[in-house]
Amino acid sequence: MNDNDNDNDNDSERFKRGWEKLREIDGDAGEKVIESLKNIAPDLARYTIEFPFGDIYSRPQLDLRSREIATVAALTAMGNATPQLKVHIHGALNVGCTPQEVVEVIIQMAVYAGFPAALNGAFAAREVFAERGMIED
């Protein structure tokens, strides 16, 4: 963190809750994202832990499976967030989604985001599934 940060920022309940949730959902992939920001944008790393994971993902109104389905859908529809989509496909699988459900969500996005976005999402899913040994690449 930079000199303007409070030394206790990483000890806040929000940060701790977010870090635990990030590890629960995204595991190593999420930790790699945070680590990759360490030398260039440590504040962005902290914000990523605190807001999405400490505040939003920790809300009880939706389970993690539902949240990851929504996230995979949104990132697929954006069409320009492949690295983040791959992390969240891993996350969806980590919290109980099946590969078939992930693919179905991506296919659904063809209706709302177009075929190019859905195709890009399917290719991202293929890479994640191959990395996890679920399919041959």
Side-chain angles (χ1 to χ4, degrees):
M1 302 295 157
N2 68 38
D3 292 337
N4 296 327
D5 289 332
N6 181 330
D7 289 337
N8 295 325
D9 283 343
N10 290 349
D11 293 331
S12 75
E13 284 303 312
R14 186 177 183 219
F15 183 90
K16 288 178 185 175
R17 183 176 60 242
W19 185 250
E20 288 173 15
K21 196 60 67 176
L22 175 112
R23 293 184 71 214
E24 177 182 358
I25 298 165
D26 293 329
D28 290 342
E31 289 184 39
K32 286 178 186 174
V33 170
I34 299 304
E35 185 64 26
S36 71
L37 293 169
K38 182 179 176 181
N39 292 330
I40 189 163
D43 289 340
L44 183 57
R46 189 182 77 245
Y47 301 150
T48 300
I49 292 167
E50 291 175 343
F51 178 62
F53 293 96
D55 293 342
I56 305 303
Y57 272 91
S58 297
R59 293 170 55 87
Q61 289 81 359
L62 289 175
D63 62 16
L64 293 179
R65 193 175 174 286
S66 298
R67 290 188 186 280
E68 283 302 302
I69 287 171
T71 304
V72 167
L75 292 170
T76 298
M78 287 175 66
N80 63 355
T82 301
Q84 294 80 14
L85 176 58
K86 289 179 190 177
V87 168
H88 283 282
I89 290 171
H90 278 290
L93 296 168
N94 291 344
V95 298
C97 291
T98 66
Q100 296 80 11
E101 289 171 321
V102 170
V103 169
E104 196 62 31
V105 167
I106 291 168
I107 291 170
Q108 180 77 18
M109 291 307 98
V111 176
Y112 297 97
F115 276 85
L119 288 167
N120 290 340
F123 297 143
R126 180 183 65 200
E127 288 181 38
V128 170
F129 299 161
E131 182 180 322
R132 291 174 78 115
M134 299 173 142
I135 62 169
E136 290 184 30
D137 195 21

